[in-house]
Amino acid sequence: MLNFDLYLPTKLIFGIGTLERLGVETKGLGKKALIVTGKISSQKNGMLERVIKLLDKENIEGVIFNKIESNPRNDVVDEGGKIARAEECDFVIGLGGGSAMDSAKGIAVVAKEGGEIWDYVPDGIKIPKRITSALPIVEVPTLSASGSEANGGAVITNLKTKEKIFFRSYHLFPKISIIDPSLTITVPPEKTGEGGIDIICHVLDPYLTNIEPNTPLQERLQESLILTVMENLPIAIKDGKNLDARTNLAWCAVFAVSGFPNFGENAGFPMHAIEHPISALYDIPHGRGLAALIPSFLETVLEINPSRLCLIGEKIFKIYETNTKKLAKKTLRRMIEWLEGIGMFTRLKDLGVNKDSFERIAEDSIRISGMGKNYLSNFPELNKEGIIKILNRAY
C-alpha cells in the first residue's frame, strides 16, 4: 500500500429530514449566504423556498444565485463570485447536483481571492494560481452522483476553450454538508441513472487500473460500493420515492469520493479523464458520457489485464468460470446487460459526438489528465492511439 494523506474536515450531516438543521448548523458561519442553485428544479420542487425559510429562522439572509446549468461554466462562476463579494456574503451554499455544488466551490474562491476561476484551474499548459482561501462552503446535494459534498475538488467548464477540468484545494472542502436523501425523490429516472453511473465509475476507474498488490481493504470497499449501487439504482429508477434505495445511493455517493475506497492504491481515473473532454465539447451529461465509455473501456481491460475484469465477474456478478478469458468476456456481457436493463446503455453517436473530434478528445485527455506514456505501467495503451481506439469502440 502506498503512503497517503487523508484529510476530511467536512461535517457530514446525513439522514432523512436533516435539511431542517440547515439554519442551526450554519448560523456560526455568518449572517448572509449566497445560495447557488439551478434555474428550475429547486424552485419548482420548493427546495429553494425551504432553504430560505430555514435560514431566515436563524436571521441569516439568503441571496439567490440561480444561474447554474449542467457542466458548470467558468463565466457563471465568475459572475457568482462577484455577486457574493458585492453583497458581502459570509458563506456560500450549493443547493443541487454536482454542477451547483462545484459552482459553489468556485464562487467561494472567486469571492475571496478575486480574479477569474480559470486562473486557478490546471490546464496542462499554464501554472495555475494557488488557492489560498475561500468563503466557507456548505453543500446540500439534491442528486446522488458527484460526491462533491465530501471532497475538496470541483470540475469547471470553459465554453470558449471547450475544456472541462478538475481542480482541487484543501480550501474547497465544505465546512458542512447536509445529505438528506429525501431531497432526491423528485429526481427523474434518467438523471437518477446518470448519477448512479457516476458513483460507480468513481470506484470502477481505480478498481480496474490498480497495480498496487497490497490494498485488499480498498478493493473490498470498491466492490461493496459497486454492488450496492447496482442493487439500488434499478429500484430508485423504477420507484423514485423508495427512500431505502435513495438513502443507500446517497451514502454511496459520499463514500465513493471520500478517499477511503482508493487512497493507497496506484491507480487512475481514465474513464473520467476521457469523458471530461467529451462533455466539454458536446455539453452532454457526465454520467451519460461515462455510460458510453464503460463497455469500451472494459474491452480494453479485457485485452490488457483480464484478471481485473474477472474480479468484477467473480465478486459482483457471481460468475463461476475457471477460464480467465471466458470469465472476462462473460463479465463484459453482464455489465452491458445491466446497463441495458436500467436504460443507461449508450453509444457516443447517440449523444451527438462526432468521430472528427476523437483526436482532440484524446489529446485533451493526455494534456489535462496526464494520461500517456507514464500514466500507468499496466495500461501503456492509454496513449493517443489507445484512447482513440476506446472512443471508436464506444461509438
Side-chain angles (χ1 to χ4, degrees):
M1 188 186 303
L2 303 178
N3 294 351
F4 60 88
D5 290 356
L6 180 55
Y7 179 65
L8 291 174
T10 303
K11 180 177 182 179
L12 299 173
I13 301 171
F14 186 95
I16 295 168
T18 53
L19 179 63
E20 296 302 314
R21 294 170 57 183
L22 177 65
V24 173
E25 293 289 343
T26 59
K27 65 181 180 181
L29 299 178
K31 290 295 183 181
K32 185 183 281 193
L34 185 76
I35 305 170
V36 180
T37 191
K39 296 181 177 181
I40 300 173
S41 295
S42 64
Q43 291 94 306
K44 187 176 180 180
N45 58 29
M47 290 183 199
L48 179 59
E49 184 179 0
R50 285 180 66 189
V51 165
I52 291 171
K53 287 182 177 179
L54 289 168
L55 294 175
D56 187 59
K57 283 183 180 179
E58 302 300 328
N59 297 314
I60 301 171
E61 180 183 350
V63 178
I64 301 171
F65 184 70
N66 59 346
K67 295 188 177 183
I68 308 305
E69 299 176 303
S70 178
N71 297 317
R73 306 198 318 255
N74 63 314
D75 58 334
V76 176
V77 168
D78 292 340
E79 181 185 353
K82 291 176 182 177
I83 291 173
R85 191 162 58 248
E87 291 281 348
E88 298 183 337
C89 293
D90 300 305
F91 62 102
V92 180
I93 298 175
L95 173 65
S99 295
M101 292 191 289
D102 284 1
S103 295
K105 291 178 178 180
I107 287 170
V109 172
V110 173
K112 189 76 171 180
E113 299 265 23
E116 300 178 349
I117 193 59
W118 207 250
D119 297 336
Y120 303 92
V121 174
D123 61 3
I125 299 174
K126 71 176 187 299
I127 298 175
K129 286 185 179 179
R130 184 167 173 262
I131 298 173
T132 59
S133 63
L135 289 180
I137 301 161
V138 176
E139 303 286 29
V140 182
T142 62
L143 171 67
S144 301
S146 74
S148 189
E149 61 269 27
N151 63 58
V155 179
I156 299 294
T157 298
N158 187 321
L159 286 186
K160 289 184 179 179
T161 63
K162 298 291 184 181
E163 295 172 306
K164 180 178 178 179
I165 301 178
F166 176 81
F167 67 108
R168 70 177 75 198
S169 167
Y170 288 151
H171 299 285
L172 296 184
F173 276 96
K175 297 294 183 184
I176 301 165
S177 286
I178 296 181
I179 305 109
D180 185 338
S182 68
L183 303 185
T184 68
I185 62 173
T186 59
V187 178
E190 182 176 332
K191 294 301 178 185
T192 298
E194 290 166 1
I197 294 298
D198 193 19
I199 299 170
I200 283 178
C201 287
H202 284 149
V203 292
L204 186 61
D205 253 338
Y207 187 87
L208 291 171
T209 57
N210 181 35
I211 59 175
E212 176 59 42
N214 188 30
T215 55
L217 177 58
Q218 289 90 324
E219 295 196 1
R220 286 166 182 159
L221 289 172
Q222 290 163 358
E223 291 161 2
S224 297
L225 277 161
I226 294 169
L227 184 58
T228 302
V229 174
M230 294 186 77
E231 289 174 341
N232 286 272
L233 188 57
I235 299 171
I237 289 173
K238 185 177 181 180
D239 177 14
K241 295 182 179 180
N242 188 307
L243 280 175
D244 286 336
R246 291 292 193 184
T247 299
N248 288 327
L249 290 173
W251 184 234
C252 284
V254 171
F255 198 68
V257 288
S258 65
F260 283 104
N262 65 288
F263 276 28
E265 292 184 332
N266 186 1
F269 286 80
M271 283 189 286
H272 276 77
I274 297 170
E275 197 288 323
H276 283 166
I278 296 173
S279 51
L281 288 172
Y282 294 98
D283 196 27
I284 61 173
H286 177 54
R288 188 63 64 171
L290 288 172
L293 291 175
I294 289 174
S296 62
F297 185 68
L298 292 186
E299 284 190 62
T300 300
V301 176
L302 190 154
E303 292 178 349
I304 298 172
N305 190 5
S307 62
R308 299 302 300 176
L309 191 53
C310 287
L311 287 173
I312 294 286
E314 293 172 347
K315 305 292 187 179
I316 304 301
F317 293 113
K318 309 301 180 185
I319 301 172
Y320 299 97
E321 172 62 63
T322 57
N323 184 286
T324 298
K325 205 75 171 181
K326 287 182 179 179
L327 176 55
K329 288 181 178 179
K330 287 182 179 180
T331 302
L332 174 58
R333 182 66 249 169
R334 290 287 294 277
M335 181 63 79
I336 291 173
E337 290 172 353
W338 181 78
L339 290 169
E340 291 173 336
I342 61 170
M344 286 302 298
F345 181 76
T346 310
R347 291 288 186 185
L348 290 178
K349 63 181 177 181
D350 298 326
L351 298 174
V353 177
N354 297 318
K355 283 191 172 185
D356 293 346
S357 62
F358 284 2
E359 186 168 340
R360 175 174 176 177
I361 291 169
E363 289 173 350
D364 284 359
S365 299
I366 292 168
R367 170 175 57 84
I368 295 170
S369 300
M371 289 204 294
K373 185 177 179 181
N374 298 316
Y375 184 62
L376 289 169
S377 61
N378 63 333
F379 277 85
E381 287 80 356
L382 287 176
N383 51 23
K384 182 177 177 179
E385 293 73 20
I387 295 169
I388 291 176
K389 186 177 181 180
I390 291 171
L391 294 169
N392 276 310
R393 281 174 166 167
Y395 192 74

